[in-house]
Amino acid sequence: MSNTNRDLLLKIYKELQETKDKVKDIPEMKKQLEEIPKIKKQLEEIPKIKKQLEEIPKIKKQLEEIPEIKKQLEEIPEIKQELRNISGSVARIEVEHGEKLAVLFDAFKVNTEKIEEQNKRLTKCEKMLEKHDHQIYILNSKIQNT
């Protein structure tokens, strides 16, 4: 066998070996190729996941506010009781003021009646004064004429 043939055979043998090694990898490559659609689908999910990750600080802030909200919710019964107390106080004040206003209006009415009565007496007195003025004038006139 000549060197050229031998070299050629060696070269062919090496290529066959490489091809054999590559052929061994074909099932693994086929498996990897079958995974590509799944990977592609997962890649499509990345923007959604990114968006969800952006929401995490907001959610964290809301979670931090929960104890304060819980505290406020616990105070609601106390606030309701305080509101009931205030409503009762306001109702009592309204009743008391209503009674006091009624008394004031009664007093105002009595004063108005007294003033009207005094005005009538004053009018009567003024008429009597006028009558006396006339009488005095007449008497003075008679005295001067005599």
Short mmCIF file of all heavy atoms in Angstrom, two decimals, residues 35-90:
data_model
loop_
_atom_site.label_atom_id
_atom_site.label_comp_id
_atom_site.label_asym_id
_atom_site.label_seq_id
_atom_site.Cartn_x
_atom_site.Cartn_y
_atom_site.Cartn_z
N GLU A 35 -36.49 20.59 22.96
CA GLU A 35 -36.63 21.52 24.08
C GLU A 35 -36.79 22.97 23.61
O GLU A 35 -37.26 23.82 24.36
CB GLU A 35 -35.42 21.43 25.02
CG GLU A 35 -35.33 20.15 25.79
CD GLU A 35 -36.44 20.00 26.81
OE1 GLU A 35 -36.74 20.99 27.51
OE2 GLU A 35 -37.02 18.90 26.89
N ILE A 36 -36.42 23.26 22.39
CA ILE A 36 -36.43 24.64 21.88
C ILE A 36 -37.82 25.27 21.98
O ILE A 36 -37.94 26.41 22.44
CB ILE A 36 -35.85 24.70 20.44
CG1 ILE A 36 -34.35 24.50 20.52
CG2 ILE A 36 -36.19 26.04 19.79
CD1 ILE A 36 -33.65 24.47 19.17
N PRO A 37 -38.92 24.59 21.57
CA PRO A 37 -40.23 25.24 21.71
C PRO A 37 -40.56 25.59 23.17
O PRO A 37 -41.14 26.65 23.45
CB PRO A 37 -41.22 24.21 21.16
CG PRO A 37 -40.42 23.33 20.28
CD PRO A 37 -39.04 23.31 20.85
N LYS A 38 -40.18 24.69 24.09
CA LYS A 38 -40.44 24.98 25.51
C LYS A 38 -39.65 26.21 25.95
O LYS A 38 -40.17 27.08 26.64
CB LYS A 38 -40.04 23.78 26.37
CG LYS A 38 -40.91 22.56 26.19
CD LYS A 38 -40.40 21.43 27.06
CE LYS A 38 -41.14 20.13 26.78
NZ LYS A 38 -40.57 19.02 27.54
N ILE A 39 -38.39 26.26 25.55
CA ILE A 39 -37.54 27.39 25.90
C ILE A 39 -38.09 28.67 25.29
O ILE A 39 -38.12 29.72 25.93
CB ILE A 39 -36.08 27.13 25.47
CG1 ILE A 39 -35.50 25.98 26.28
CG2 ILE A 39 -35.24 28.38 25.63
CD1 ILE A 39 -34.14 25.50 25.81
N LYS A 40 -38.55 28.56 24.05
CA LYS A 40 -39.13 29.71 23.35
C LYS A 40 -40.36 30.23 24.12
O LYS A 40 -40.51 31.44 24.32
CB LYS A 40 -39.52 29.28 21.93
CG LYS A 40 -39.54 30.39 20.93
CD LYS A 40 -39.77 29.80 19.55
CE LYS A 40 -39.78 30.88 18.51
NZ LYS A 40 -40.07 30.37 17.18
N LYS A 41 -41.19 29.29 24.57
CA LYS A 41 -42.38 29.66 25.33
C LYS A 41 -41.98 30.35 26.64
O LYS A 41 -42.58 31.35 27.05
CB LYS A 41 -43.23 28.42 25.61
CG LYS A 41 -44.58 28.73 26.17
CD LYS A 41 -45.44 27.50 26.22
CE LYS A 41 -46.82 27.86 26.69
NZ LYS A 41 -47.70 26.70 26.75
N GLN A 42 -40.95 29.81 27.30
CA GLN A 42 -40.47 30.41 28.54
C GLN A 42 -39.92 31.82 28.29
O GLN A 42 -40.12 32.73 29.09
CB GLN A 42 -39.40 29.52 29.19
CG GLN A 42 -39.95 28.24 29.76
CD GLN A 42 -38.87 27.30 30.25
OE1 GLN A 42 -37.70 27.43 29.88
NE2 GLN A 42 -39.26 26.34 31.07
N LEU A 43 -39.27 32.00 27.16
CA LEU A 43 -38.73 33.32 26.81
C LEU A 43 -39.86 34.32 26.60
O LEU A 43 -39.72 35.50 26.91
CB LEU A 43 -37.84 33.23 25.56
CG LEU A 43 -36.47 32.58 25.76
CD1 LEU A 43 -35.77 32.41 24.42
CD2 LEU A 43 -35.61 33.38 26.71
N GLU A 44 -40.98 33.83 26.05
CA GLU A 44 -42.13 34.71 25.85
C GLU A 44 -42.73 35.16 27.19
O GLU A 44 -43.35 36.20 27.28
CB GLU A 44 -43.21 33.99 25.02
CG GLU A 44 -42.81 33.79 23.58
CD GLU A 44 -43.80 32.91 22.80
OE1 GLU A 44 -44.77 32.39 23.40
OE2 GLU A 44 -43.59 32.76 21.59
N GLU A 45 -42.53 34.36 28.23
CA GLU A 45 -43.06 34.68 29.56
C GLU A 45 -42.20 35.72 30.28
O GLU A 45 -42.65 36.33 31.25
CB GLU A 45 -43.13 33.41 30.42
CG GLU A 45 -44.13 32.38 29.94
CD GLU A 45 -45.57 32.84 30.10
OE1 GLU A 45 -45.88 33.46 31.14
OE2 GLU A 45 -46.36 32.62 29.18
N ILE A 46 -41.00 35.95 29.82
CA ILE A 46 -40.08 36.86 30.51
C ILE A 46 -40.65 38.27 30.68
O ILE A 46 -40.58 38.82 31.77
CB ILE A 46 -38.69 36.87 29.83
CG1 ILE A 46 -37.99 35.55 30.13
CG2 ILE A 46 -37.85 38.04 30.31
CD1 ILE A 46 -36.63 35.39 29.48
N PRO A 47 -41.27 38.89 29.64
CA PRO A 47 -41.83 40.24 29.86
C PRO A 47 -42.92 40.25 30.95
O PRO A 47 -42.98 41.18 31.76
CB PRO A 47 -42.42 40.63 28.50
CG PRO A 47 -41.71 39.78 27.51
CD PRO A 47 -41.35 38.51 28.22
N LYS A 48 -43.73 39.20 30.99
CA LYS A 48 -44.77 39.12 32.02
C LYS A 48 -44.13 39.04 33.40
O LYS A 48 -44.54 39.72 34.34
CB LYS A 48 -45.68 37.91 31.80
CG LYS A 48 -46.51 37.97 30.54
CD LYS A 48 -47.30 36.69 30.36
CE LYS A 48 -48.02 36.68 29.03
NZ LYS A 48 -48.68 35.39 28.77
N ILE A 49 -43.12 38.20 33.51
CA ILE A 49 -42.41 38.03 34.78
C ILE A 49 -41.75 39.34 35.18
O ILE A 49 -41.78 39.73 36.35
CB ILE A 49 -41.39 36.88 34.69
CG1 ILE A 49 -42.11 35.55 34.50
CG2 ILE A 49 -40.50 36.84 35.92
CD1 ILE A 49 -41.21 34.37 34.17
N LYS A 50 -41.18 40.02 34.20
CA LYS A 50 -40.53 41.31 34.46
C LYS A 50 -41.55 42.31 35.02
O LYS A 50 -41.28 43.02 35.98
CB LYS A 50 -39.94 41.85 33.15
CG LYS A 50 -38.59 42.45 33.27
CD LYS A 50 -38.09 42.81 31.89
CE LYS A 50 -36.80 43.57 31.99
NZ LYS A 50 -36.30 44.00 30.71
N LYS A 51 -42.72 42.32 34.40
CA LYS A 51 -43.78 43.23 34.85
C LYS A 51 -44.20 42.88 36.28
O LYS A 51 -44.41 43.77 37.11
CB LYS A 51 -44.98 43.15 33.90
CG LYS A 51 -46.01 44.20 34.14
CD LYS A 51 -47.06 44.18 33.07
CE LYS A 51 -48.07 45.29 33.30
NZ LYS A 51 -49.11 45.29 32.28
N GLN A 52 -44.32 41.59 36.57
CA GLN A 52 -44.68 41.15 37.92
C GLN A 52 -43.59 41.55 38.91
O GLN A 52 -43.89 41.96 40.03
CB GLN A 52 -44.90 39.63 37.95
CG GLN A 52 -46.16 39.20 37.22
CD GLN A 52 -46.27 37.70 37.09
OE1 GLN A 52 -45.31 36.97 37.30
NE2 GLN A 52 -47.46 37.23 36.75
N LEU A 53 -42.36 41.47 38.50
CA LEU A 53 -41.24 41.85 39.37
C LEU A 53 -41.28 43.35 39.68
O LEU A 53 -40.92 43.77 40.78
CB LEU A 53 -39.90 41.48 38.74
CG LEU A 53 -39.55 39.99 38.74
CD1 LEU A 53 -38.27 39.74 37.94
CD2 LEU A 53 -39.39 39.47 40.15
N GLU A 54 -41.73 44.14 38.71
CA GLU A 54 -41.85 45.58 38.93
C GLU A 54 -42.93 45.89 39.97
O GLU A 54 -42.87 46.92 40.63
CB GLU A 54 -42.18 46.29 37.61
CG GLU A 54 -41.03 46.30 36.63
CD GLU A 54 -41.41 46.84 35.25
OE1 GLU A 54 -42.60 47.18 35.05
OE2 GLU A 54 -40.52 46.90 34.40
N GLU A 55 -43.91 45.01 40.10
CA GLU A 55 -44.99 45.20 41.06
C GLU A 55 -44.57 44.86 42.49
O GLU A 55 -45.23 45.27 43.44
CB GLU A 55 -46.21 44.35 40.67
CG GLU A 55 -46.88 44.76 39.38
CD GLU A 55 -47.55 46.11 39.48
OE1 GLU A 55 -48.20 46.38 40.50
OE2 GLU A 55 -47.41 46.91 38.53
N ILE A 56 -43.49 44.16 42.66
CA ILE A 56 -43.07 43.69 43.99
C ILE A 56 -42.87 44.85 44.97
O ILE A 56 -43.35 44.77 46.10
CB ILE A 56 -41.82 42.78 43.88
CG1 ILE A 56 -42.23 41.44 43.28
CG2 ILE A 56 -41.16 42.59 45.24
CD1 ILE A 56 -41.10 40.48 43.06
N PRO A 57 -42.20 45.97 44.59
CA PRO A 57 -42.05 47.06 45.57
C PRO A 57 -43.41 47.64 46.03
O PRO A 57 -43.58 47.94 47.20
CB PRO A 57 -41.24 48.11 44.83
CG PRO A 57 -40.54 47.38 43.74
CD PRO A 57 -41.42 46.24 43.38
N LYS A 58 -44.35 47.72 45.08
CA LYS A 58 -45.68 48.23 45.45
C LYS A 58 -46.35 47.27 46.45
O LYS A 58 -46.93 47.70 47.44
CB LYS A 58 -46.56 48.38 44.21
CG LYS A 58 -46.11 49.45 43.25
CD LYS A 58 -46.98 49.46 42.02
CE LYS A 58 -46.42 50.40 40.95
NZ LYS A 58 -47.17 50.30 39.70
N ILE A 59 -46.26 45.99 46.15
CA ILE A 59 -46.87 44.99 47.02
C ILE A 59 -46.19 45.01 48.39
O ILE A 59 -46.85 44.93 49.43
CB ILE A 59 -46.77 43.58 46.38
CG1 ILE A 59 -47.65 43.53 45.12
CG2 ILE A 59 -47.18 42.50 47.36
CD1 ILE A 59 -47.46 42.29 44.28
N LYS A 60 -44.87 45.16 48.39
CA LYS A 60 -44.12 45.23 49.65
C LYS A 60 -44.59 46.42 50.47
O LYS A 60 -44.81 46.31 51.68
CB LYS A 60 -42.63 45.33 49.36
CG LYS A 60 -41.76 45.24 50.57
CD LYS A 60 -40.30 45.28 50.20
CE LYS A 60 -39.43 45.23 51.45
NZ LYS A 60 -38.02 45.37 51.15
N LYS A 61 -44.78 47.56 49.81
CA LYS A 61 -45.24 48.76 50.51
C LYS A 61 -46.64 48.52 51.09
O LYS A 61 -46.92 48.90 52.23
CB LYS A 61 -45.26 49.95 49.55
CG LYS A 61 -45.59 51.26 50.22
CD LYS A 61 -45.53 52.40 49.25
CE LYS A 61 -45.87 53.71 49.97
NZ LYS A 61 -45.91 54.83 49.05
N GLN A 62 -47.51 47.89 50.30
CA GLN A 62 -48.86 47.59 50.79
C GLN A 62 -48.80 46.64 51.99
O GLN A 62 -49.56 46.80 52.94
CB GLN A 62 -49.70 46.98 49.67
CG GLN A 62 -50.06 47.98 48.59
CD GLN A 62 -50.73 47.34 47.39
OE1 GLN A 62 -50.69 46.13 47.21
NE2 GLN A 62 -51.35 48.16 46.55
N LEU A 63 -47.92 45.66 51.93
CA LEU A 63 -47.77 44.73 53.04
C LEU A 63 -47.28 45.45 54.30
O LEU A 63 -47.68 45.11 55.41
CB LEU A 63 -46.79 43.60 52.67
CG LEU A 63 -47.33 42.56 51.69
CD1 LEU A 63 -46.22 41.60 51.28
CD2 LEU A 63 -48.49 41.80 52.28
N GLU A 64 -46.43 46.45 54.12
CA GLU A 64 -45.94 47.22 55.26
C GLU A 64 -47.06 48.05 55.88
O GLU A 64 -47.02 48.35 57.07
CB GLU A 64 -44.78 48.13 54.83
CG GLU A 64 -43.51 47.37 54.50
CD GLU A 64 -42.44 48.25 53.87
OE1 GLU A 64 -42.69 49.44 53.60
OE2 GLU A 64 -41.33 47.71 53.64
N GLU A 65 -48.05 48.42 55.08
CA GLU A 65 -49.16 49.24 55.58
C GLU A 65 -50.21 48.41 56.32
O GLU A 65 -51.03 48.96 57.04
CB GLU A 65 -49.82 49.99 54.42
CG GLU A 65 -48.95 51.06 53.80
CD GLU A 65 -49.55 51.69 52.57
OE1 GLU A 65 -50.63 51.26 52.11
OE2 GLU A 65 -48.94 52.64 52.05
N ILE A 66 -50.18 47.12 56.16
CA ILE A 66 -51.20 46.24 56.76
C ILE A 66 -51.28 46.41 58.27
O ILE A 66 -52.38 46.54 58.81
CB ILE A 66 -50.97 44.77 56.35
CG1 ILE A 66 -51.39 44.60 54.88
CG2 ILE A 66 -51.77 43.81 57.23
CD1 ILE A 66 -51.15 43.23 54.32
N PRO A 67 -50.15 46.44 59.02
CA PRO A 67 -50.29 46.62 60.48
C PRO A 67 -50.99 47.92 60.85
O PRO A 67 -51.81 47.95 61.78
CB PRO A 67 -48.84 46.60 60.98
CG PRO A 67 -48.06 45.89 59.94
CD PRO A 67 -48.76 46.18 58.65
N GLU A 68 -50.69 49.00 60.13
CA GLU A 68 -51.33 50.29 60.42
C GLU A 68 -52.83 50.21 60.13
O GLU A 68 -53.65 50.68 60.91
CB GLU A 68 -50.69 51.40 59.58
CG GLU A 68 -51.28 52.76 59.82
CD GLU A 68 -51.10 53.27 61.24
OE1 GLU A 68 -50.11 52.89 61.89
OE2 GLU A 68 -51.96 54.04 61.70
N ILE A 69 -53.20 49.59 59.02
CA ILE A 69 -54.62 49.42 58.67
C ILE A 69 -55.30 48.55 59.72
O ILE A 69 -56.43 48.85 60.14
CB ILE A 69 -54.76 48.82 57.25
CG1 ILE A 69 -54.25 49.81 56.21
CG2 ILE A 69 -56.20 48.42 56.97
CD1 ILE A 69 -54.12 49.24 54.81
N LYS A 70 -54.62 47.49 60.14
CA LYS A 70 -55.18 46.59 61.15
C LYS A 70 -55.43 47.37 62.44
O LYS A 70 -56.47 47.22 63.08
CB LYS A 70 -54.23 45.43 61.40
CG LYS A 70 -54.78 44.35 62.27
CD LYS A 70 -53.81 43.19 62.37
CE LYS A 70 -54.34 42.11 63.28
NZ LYS A 70 -53.38 41.02 63.46
N LYS A 71 -54.47 48.22 62.83
CA LYS A 71 -54.61 49.03 64.04
C LYS A 71 -55.82 49.96 63.91
O LYS A 71 -56.60 50.11 64.85
CB LYS A 71 -53.33 49.85 64.26
CG LYS A 71 -53.34 50.64 65.53
CD LYS A 71 -52.04 51.41 65.69
CE LYS A 71 -52.07 52.29 66.92
NZ LYS A 71 -50.89 53.14 67.01
N GLN A 72 -55.96 50.57 62.73
CA GLN A 72 -57.09 51.47 62.51
C GLN A 72 -58.41 50.71 62.59
O GLN A 72 -59.40 51.21 63.12
CB GLN A 72 -56.96 52.17 61.16
CG GLN A 72 -55.83 53.19 61.13
CD GLN A 72 -55.60 53.76 59.74
OE1 GLN A 72 -56.18 53.31 58.76
NE2 GLN A 72 -54.72 54.75 59.65
N LEU A 73 -58.43 49.49 62.04
CA LEU A 73 -59.66 48.68 62.07
C LEU A 73 -60.01 48.30 63.51
O LEU A 73 -61.18 48.23 63.87
CB LEU A 73 -59.48 47.41 61.23
CG LEU A 73 -59.50 47.62 59.72
CD1 LEU A 73 -59.17 46.32 59.00
CD2 LEU A 73 -60.83 48.16 59.25
N GLU A 74 -58.97 48.08 64.34
CA GLU A 74 -59.22 47.75 65.74
C GLU A 74 -59.81 48.94 66.48
O GLU A 74 -60.51 48.76 67.48
CB GLU A 74 -57.92 47.28 66.41
CG GLU A 74 -57.45 45.92 65.93
CD GLU A 74 -56.05 45.57 66.41
OE1 GLU A 74 -55.38 46.42 67.04
OE2 GLU A 74 -55.62 44.43 66.14
N GLU A 75 -59.53 50.15 66.02
CA GLU A 75 -60.02 51.35 66.68
C GLU A 75 -61.46 51.69 66.30
O GLU A 75 -62.09 52.51 66.96
CB GLU A 75 -59.12 52.54 66.35
CG GLU A 75 -57.73 52.44 66.93
CD GLU A 75 -56.81 53.56 66.47
OE1 GLU A 75 -57.22 54.40 65.66
OE2 GLU A 75 -55.66 53.58 66.94
N ILE A 76 -61.99 51.07 65.27
CA ILE A 76 -63.34 51.39 64.78
C ILE A 76 -64.40 51.20 65.87
O ILE A 76 -65.24 52.08 66.04
CB ILE A 76 -63.67 50.59 63.50
CG1 ILE A 76 -62.86 51.18 62.35
CG2 ILE A 76 -65.16 50.63 63.19
CD1 ILE A 76 -63.05 50.48 61.04
N PRO A 77 -64.40 50.08 66.63
CA PRO A 77 -65.43 49.97 67.68
C PRO A 77 -65.35 51.12 68.70
O PRO A 77 -66.38 51.63 69.14
CB PRO A 77 -65.14 48.62 68.34
CG PRO A 77 -64.40 47.84 67.31
CD PRO A 77 -63.62 48.85 66.53
N GLU A 78 -64.12 51.51 69.07
CA GLU A 78 -63.96 52.62 70.01
C GLU A 78 -64.51 53.91 69.41
O GLU A 78 -65.18 54.70 70.09
CB GLU A 78 -62.49 52.80 70.37
CG GLU A 78 -61.90 51.62 71.13
CD GLU A 78 -60.39 51.70 71.25
OE1 GLU A 78 -59.80 52.74 70.87
OE2 GLU A 78 -59.80 50.72 71.71
N ILE A 79 -64.23 54.11 68.13
CA ILE A 79 -64.71 55.32 67.44
C ILE A 79 -66.24 55.30 67.38
O ILE A 79 -66.89 56.33 67.62
CB ILE A 79 -64.09 55.43 66.04
CG1 ILE A 79 -62.59 55.68 66.15
CG2 ILE A 79 -64.77 56.52 65.22
CD1 ILE A 79 -61.84 55.56 64.83
N LYS A 80 -66.82 54.13 67.10
CA LYS A 80 -68.28 54.02 67.05
C LYS A 80 -68.88 54.34 68.42
O LYS A 80 -69.89 55.06 68.50
CB LYS A 80 -68.70 52.61 66.61
CG LYS A 80 -68.55 52.35 65.14
CD LYS A 80 -69.06 50.96 64.78
CE LYS A 80 -68.96 50.71 63.30
NZ LYS A 80 -69.43 49.35 62.97
N GLN A 81 -68.26 53.82 69.49
CA GLN A 81 -68.77 54.09 70.84
C GLN A 81 -68.67 55.57 71.15
O GLN A 81 -69.60 56.17 71.70
CB GLN A 81 -67.98 53.27 71.88
CG GLN A 81 -68.50 53.44 73.28
CD GLN A 81 -69.96 53.02 73.42
OE1 GLN A 81 -70.39 52.02 72.87
NE2 GLN A 81 -70.73 53.80 74.15
N GLU A 82 -67.54 56.17 70.78
CA GLU A 82 -67.35 57.61 71.01
C GLU A 82 -68.41 58.41 70.24
O GLU A 82 -68.97 59.37 70.75
CB GLU A 82 -65.94 58.03 70.59
CG GLU A 82 -65.58 59.44 70.93
CD GLU A 82 -65.48 59.70 72.42
OE1 GLU A 82 -65.19 58.77 73.18
OE2 GLU A 82 -65.71 60.86 72.82
N LEU A 83 -68.69 57.99 69.01
CA LEU A 83 -69.72 58.65 68.19
C LEU A 83 -71.09 58.53 68.84
O LEU A 83 -71.86 59.51 68.87
CB LEU A 83 -69.72 58.05 66.79
CG LEU A 83 -70.62 58.70 65.76
CD1 LEU A 83 -70.23 60.16 65.57
CD2 LEU A 83 -70.53 57.97 64.44
N ARG A 84 -71.39 57.35 69.40
CA ARG A 84 -72.67 57.17 70.10
C ARG A 84 -72.74 58.12 71.31
O ARG A 84 -73.78 58.73 71.57
CB ARG A 84 -72.84 55.72 70.56
CG ARG A 84 -73.25 54.78 69.46
CD ARG A 84 -73.60 53.39 70.01
NE ARG A 84 -73.30 52.41 69.00
CZ ARG A 84 -72.28 51.56 68.99
NH1 ARG A 84 -71.43 51.54 69.99
NH2 ARG A 84 -72.10 50.72 68.00
N ASN A 85 -71.63 58.20 72.06
CA ASN A 85 -71.59 59.09 73.22
C ASN A 85 -71.83 60.54 72.80
O ASN A 85 -72.60 61.27 73.43
CB ASN A 85 -70.25 58.98 73.95
CG ASN A 85 -70.07 57.62 74.61
OD1 ASN A 85 -71.02 56.87 74.79
ND2 ASN A 85 -68.84 57.29 74.96
N ILE A 86 -71.16 60.94 71.73
CA ILE A 86 -71.31 62.31 71.23
C ILE A 86 -72.74 62.55 70.77
O ILE A 86 -73.33 63.60 71.07
CB ILE A 86 -70.30 62.60 70.09
CG1 ILE A 86 -68.89 62.64 70.67
CG2 ILE A 86 -70.63 63.90 69.38
CD1 ILE A 86 -67.79 62.68 69.62
N SER A 87 -73.32 61.57 70.07
CA SER A 87 -74.71 61.71 69.60
C SER A 87 -75.65 61.88 70.79
O SER A 87 -76.57 62.72 70.74
CB SER A 87 -75.13 60.48 68.79
OG SER A 87 -74.38 60.40 67.61
N GLY A 88 -75.42 61.09 71.85
CA GLY A 88 -76.26 61.22 73.04
C GLY A 88 -76.11 62.59 73.67
O GLY A 88 -77.11 63.21 74.08
N SER A 89 -74.87 63.06 73.75
CA SER A 89 -74.63 64.39 74.33
C SER A 89 -75.31 65.47 73.50
O SER A 89 -75.93 66.40 74.04
CB SER A 89 -73.12 64.68 74.39
OG SER A 89 -72.49 63.77 75.26
N VAL A 90 -75.20 65.37 72.19
CA VAL A 90 -75.82 66.35 71.30
C VAL A 90 -77.34 66.33 71.48
O VAL A 90 -77.98 67.38 71.55
CB VAL A 90 -75.42 66.10 69.83
CG1 VAL A 90 -76.28 66.90 68.88
CG2 VAL A 90 -73.95 66.41 69.62
#
